[in-house]
Amino acid sequence: MAWNEPGNKGQDPWGKKGGNDKGPPDLDEVFRNLSKRFGGKGNGSGNGISSMSLVIVLAIAVVVWGLSGFYTVKEAEKGVELRFGGYIGEVDPGLQWKATFIDEVTPVNVQTVRSIPASGSMLTADENVVLVQLDVQFRVNNAKNYLYSVVDADASLREATDSALRYVIGHNTMDDILTTGRDKIRRDTWNEIERIIEPYQLGIVIVDVNFLPARPPEEVKDAFDDAIAAQEDEQRFIREAEAYSRQLEPKVRGTVQRMDQQAKAYKQRVTLEAQGKVARFEQLLPEYQAAPDVTRERMYFDTMQEVMSGTSKVLIDAKNSGNLMYLPLDKLMQNSQSNKSVSSKSKPAQPIMSVNSTTNNSSMPLDGRPSRGERTGRN
């Protein structure tokens, strides 16, 4: 119940028996009580606290203040120390001490790799829209710059990443973004981010840039899937053609080598034949000079024999006699060749031609007509 309510007998919390005085407690009385407890004389004044008491209070305050200054910096962190708001240096990991209310230390993790994502629908160089996702991994290499160079280093890096990604996507075609140009876009984006953040000295270093698979808009996704499948088929056909080329190449090389050897053999044979003809001519020249007519006629007969040996035609001089025996030389030659292929041991048949102009007048021609001798004898 309240002290001034009926039934409280007029006692107030300040020790007054009457309830009329509602003021605060007497400070002089409080100081006198404290002075008595610490050995003071208690002369009724606030200045009665002894010097020993003040020393003890101050000593306790100093001890508490000194103990409150101890702190620990973790192994992966660096401490940025400020004195009255001004930078004075960095603190290494371990147990450290700072002046409370004077120095301020902010720990920063400088070993952990952090990540900032970036994504969005962006316009390509060929005026297509593509959904791109990027993940930038970075690490703090300067704790002071990371905390105080800009207002928020993470936000600055996020904005720089978004700007660099849109710039690179805007200078590439959609086919390159979706298929073959992904690694180039990743490297270009990395370089562009470093170029943007360099003047700001954010105190961070880019560790890696992961370019996640890009996707076309849902409205044209089926068409782009068909295009990608066609490109994959193209690569598959190229691989098959390369495999066929590797399979055919040894055969072609073998054929080329065989033709080369045949050409060299033909060259050697022609050279030897030419040398033989030259030697033969050198041997024939003295004979020709000794008997030109005989040698010339002999050379003519040899040449004609060589020329006519390969033909099935028969030339006949019918000036002196009209008797003619016809033999099918072409059939005989074919039969001789067939017999030669059947049995290599049998002697090949030679074409036979008999032309009787003077001695054999009784031979019967194949056409059934009697010869001139027979007609003369009959007569």
Side-chain angles (χ1 to χ4, degrees), residues 3 32 65 74 77 113 146 163 180 194 199 206 212 241 262 292 294 302 328 341 351 365 368 377:
W3 64 273
R32 281 194 297 267
W65 177 80
K74 296 181 180 180
E77 295 178 343
V113 177
Y146 179 75
S163 177
T180 58
E194 290 181 343
I206 304 297
L212 303 179
Q262 290 178 352
V294 177
D302 292 342
S341 62

Side-chain angles (χ1 to χ4, degrees), residues 141-173:
N141 64 344
N142 191 314
K144 173 193 173 184
N145 292 341
Y146 179 75
L147 291 176
Y148 305 115
S149 180
V150 293
V151 176
D152 188 349
D154 293 347
S156 299
L157 179 60
R158 186 178 295 106
E159 294 175 358
T161 301
D162 186 73
S163 177
L165 182 59
R166 292 183 181 276
Y167 174 80
V168 174
I169 294 298
H171 286 77
N172 288 272
T173 61

Side-chain angles (χ1 to χ4, degrees), residues 173-338:
T173 61
M174 192 167 190
D175 291 338
D176 294 337
I177 297 171
L178 296 178
T179 56
T180 58
R182 296 172 51 81
D183 186 66
K184 179 178 180 299
I185 293 174
R186 168 182 167 275
R187 288 185 281 104
D188 292 345
T189 305
W190 191 338
N191 295 333
E192 187 66 18
I193 293 175
E194 290 181 343
R195 186 190 65 83
I196 293 175
I197 66 175
E198 183 179 1
Y200 297 97
Q201 298 181 358
L202 300 182
I204 62 178
V205 57
I206 304 297
V207 177
D208 194 9
V209 175
N210 296 324
F211 187 68
L212 303 179
R215 303 192 305 272
E218 294 296 332
E219 294 78 7
V220 294
K221 184 177 183 300
D222 295 337
F224 275 98
D225 291 341
D226 294 339
I228 293 175
Q231 292 178 355
E232 292 177 352
D233 292 340
E234 177 186 5
Q235 296 298 323
R236 178 171 59 84
F237 292 148
I238 291 175
R239 301 288 89 81
E240 292 178 355
E242 291 176 351
Y244 176 73
S245 174
R246 288 191 294 267
Q247 180 181 1
L248 190 63
E249 185 177 1
K251 298 180 180 179
V252 175
R253 288 183 177 178
T255 303
V256 171
Q257 186 176 4
R258 179 175 56 82
M259 294 176 64
D260 182 66
Q261 292 177 356
Q262 290 178 352
K264 291 180 179 179
Y266 174 76
K267 175 184 177 182
Q268 185 177 5
R269 180 173 62 83
V270 171
T271 302
L272 294 176
E273 289 179 355
Q275 292 176 355
K277 291 180 180 180
V278 170
R280 179 183 176 187
F281 179 78
E282 290 178 352
Q283 293 177 0
L284 186 61
L285 181 59
E287 300 295 334
Y288 179 81
Q289 293 176 351
D293 296 335
V294 177
T295 305
R296 186 184 300 111
E297 185 176 359
R298 181 62 183 173
M299 291 177 61
Y300 174 78
F301 289 151
D302 292 342
T303 303
M304 291 303 297
Q305 182 179 1
E306 182 179 357
V307 172
M308 299 303 295
S309 62
T311 181
S312 60
K313 294 183 179 181
V314 179
L315 300 179
I316 301 174
D317 186 7
K319 292 181 180 181
N320 298 326
S321 175
N323 296 333
L324 176 63
M325 179 180 291
Y326 172 76
L327 295 176
L329 299 180
D330 52 349
K331 300 295 183 182
L332 294 176
M333 294 177 64
Q334 292 178 1
N335 293 333
S336 63
Q337 292 178 357
S338 62

Side-chain angles (χ1 to χ4, degrees), residues 31 88 108:
F31 281 111
I88 60 174
V108 178

